[in-house]
Amino acid sequence: MKVIYFDNNATTMVLPEVFNAMAPYFTENYGNASSMHHFGGLNNKAIENARRNVAALLNAMPAEVIFTSGGTEADSSAIYSALRVYPAKKHIITSAVEHPAVLEVFKKLAKEGYNVDFIGVDADGRFNMEQYKAVLNEDTALVSVMWANSETGTIFPVKEIAALAHKAGALFHTDAVQAVGKIPTDVKDIDADMLSCSSHKIHGPKGVGALYVKQGVRFLPFMVGGHQEKSRRAGTENVPALVGFGEAAKIAKETLWKYEAQVATLRDKLENALLAAIPDCKVNGDKLSRLPNTSNISFGYVEGESILMMLDEHNICASSGSACTSGSLEPSHVLMAMGVPFQFAHGSIRFSLSKFNTEEEVDAVVKVLPPIIKRLREISPFHGQKIACPAR
């Protein structure tokens, strides 16, 4: 059976063009890019070409792009650099719905003595600007807030958040892993000090990402050792992956205008059909300002894990939230922060589409899912605990 893949916020298929661009750097141009000889130097040129492509996608200068092993390393690098740049400041701010790559770091820092504010969200997952303004102060070293939520797709007002951070004398970092390549992400427009992104979310290889650091912003490296990345990130360069990331970034920039409309149309068709066919379900997130490819739907009185297992029997791939927390049986921290009732939060499924999905695949999901929900509700211990269905 053909796999129907609606889990693109977890990872994406590597584009054939990206794979072909990477291939020579495994078997032919395999030299160490930091070597002095010509054979290695050719690979350094390939890395710099990739850097230009990633920078172009962000509207940054190539020198402002530091390659990392992925979004998680980029996030930690940004956070710990900011704290070392402002060692006397002990207040930091993030949101309550961040990806674990940021949220867990802030929880750790809270245990180490930092004063941490986790800004809440409303019922649609929108950032609480009033709470943010109330806690921001001259002791704030860093504000780190995601550009778009990985589970609901809700887009945060990062430009306004950054402006307020700067007014208070703090640095601003945004985890843009889910936003880059899906919506315009202009670092100059929002005036970000630092931004994290990841290759495997935009049809590039896994294990490679980037941290944008604005020119003039002091940066203290998280990984030290060799002189790679202008001594900002030590470690032998993963040339094939970097070349693949650069090619994926180039394609993402060229096709962004078409991607947004294409996947939003499919998402809306899927969403509307499921809402019409299944009672007691609701869409989670800001339906006016969200990623074009993401739909998070709560199916009341059933468990998300059971839904995913039964979808998997039909070779349909989705998720119940971030892949980094997929082993947890607890409801999503994002949905709980939004105040979604437990009976609905526990049965939430994230469908995240790509430009490779089709209307036929949407139709297949719409055909299969309603009977699954009906069957699960018949055996669910939650079904007798009916409450008023939250706004759809």
Side-chain angles (χ1 to χ4, degrees):
M1 291 176 62
K2 176 189 173 184
V3 171
I4 298 177
Y5 190 76
F6 281 3
D7 197 17
N8 288 277
N9 283 8
T11 198
T12 57
M13 178 187 80
V14 172
L15 289 169
E17 305 97 304
V18 170
F19 179 79
N20 290 337
M22 294 170 62
Y25 295 92
F26 286 107
T27 57
E28 299 171 29
N29 305 333
Y30 53 83
N32 189 318
S34 295
S35 296
M36 294 294 292
H37 48 68
H38 178 72
F39 187 58
L42 289 174
N43 286 348
N44 188 61
K45 291 181 180 179
I47 291 174
E48 293 311 309
N49 182 58
R51 197 185 311 278
R52 286 190 291 272
N53 286 334
V54 173
L57 181 59
L58 303 175
N59 191 28
M61 295 183 292
E64 296 174 313
V65 174
I66 303 170
F67 284 127
T68 67
S69 65
T72 296
E73 183 194 327
D75 287 338
S76 283
S77 297
I79 294 166
Y80 284 108
S81 175
L83 300 186
R84 292 171 64 195
V85 166
Y86 292 126
K89 294 187 175 186
K90 297 299 179 183
H91 180 232
I92 50 179
I93 298 174
T94 190
S95 83
V97 295
E98 295 294 310
H99 186 276
V102 169
L103 196 63
E104 294 304 315
V105 176
F106 273 71
K107 289 178 180 179
K108 179 176 181 290
L109 290 168
K111 293 178 181 178
E112 295 174 0
Y114 279 88
N115 177 19
V116 182
D117 275 301
F118 298 93
I119 305 301
V121 294
D122 68 10
D124 289 320
R126 294 177 294 222
F127 187 78
N128 189 329
M129 290 297 296
E130 294 309 310
Q131 182 188 0
Y132 172 56
K133 292 175 185 177
V135 301
L136 189 62
N137 62 75
E138 62 184 13
D139 189 45
T140 306
L142 172 70
V143 177
S144 179
V145 174
M146 57 178 25
W147 196 315
N149 188 268
S150 61
E151 296 189 25
T152 65
T154 297
I155 297 171
F156 283 174
V158 287
K159 184 174 182 176
E160 186 178 355
I161 296 169
L164 290 169
H166 293 152
K167 188 175 180 180
L171 290 173
F172 176 73
H173 162 255
T174 183
D175 178 343
V177 165
Q178 291 295 348
V180 169
K182 298 174 186 175
I183 58 175
T185 47
D186 186 330
V187 293
K188 298 292 189 289
D189 177 60
I190 69 164
D191 196 19
D193 295 305
M194 293 178 282
L195 174 148
S196 304
C197 59
S198 185
S199 164
H200 75 109
K201 307 295 188 180
I202 60 170
H203 299 287
K206 299 174 183 65
V208 60
L211 175 65
Y212 159 82
V213 179
K214 182 171 67 177
Q215 186 179 40
V217 170
R218 190 180 175 205
F219 177 77
L220 298 174
F222 182 63
M223 295 180 66
V224 297
H227 62 274
Q228 296 88 352
E229 295 298 296
K230 297 182 179 178
S231 297
R232 299 176 298 180
R233 197 277 184 183
T236 300
E237 298 95 340
N238 185 350
V239 180
L242 294 174
V243 168
F245 187 13
E247 187 67 18
K250 177 184 176 183
I251 295 170
K253 179 175 173 58
E254 293 171 346
T255 60
L256 180 60
W257 64 273
K258 180 169 63 175
Y259 168 91
E260 290 187 86
Q262 178 185 350
V263 297
T265 299
L266 287 177
R267 177 203 64 195
D268 292 347
K269 178 178 180 179
L270 172 69
E271 197 170 82
N272 293 333
L274 290 177
L275 290 176
I278 303 172
D280 291 326
C281 63
K282 69 177 294 288
V283 175
N284 299 306
D286 186 347
K287 291 179 278 294
L288 297 178
S289 182
R290 58 173 166 164
L291 296 175
N293 78 318
T294 304
S295 177
N296 187 302
I297 305 178
S298 284
F299 301 95
Y301 318 112
V302 292
E303 294 183 346
E305 290 77 12
S306 299
I307 300 172
L308 293 177
M309 290 174 62
M310 296 183 77
L311 285 174
D312 191 48
E313 292 176 2
H314 296 272
N315 270 19
I316 297 171
C317 303
S319 72
S320 56
S322 168
C324 297
T325 57
S326 61
S328 172
L329 295 178
E330 293 298 316
S332 158
H333 72 284
V334 174
L335 300 186
M336 297 309 288
M338 292 166 59
V340 178
F342 178 86
Q343 294 92 331
F344 283 79
H346 210 59
S348 297
I349 301 297
R350 180 187 69 185
F351 300 97
S352 46
L353 287 66
S354 82
K355 59 186 177 183
F356 294 107
N357 290 122
T358 65
E359 290 195 16
E360 290 74 19
E361 291 177 332
V362 169
D363 292 339
V365 174
V366 173
K367 179 181 179 181
V368 164
L369 190 51
I372 288 176
I373 300 300
K374 184 175 184 296
R375 178 182 170 192
L376 289 174
R377 282 177 175 166
E378 289 171 349
I379 61 175
S380 171
F382 301 120
H383 204 222
Q385 307 172 16
K386 295 204 72 170
I387 61 172
C389 181
R392 303 179 100 190

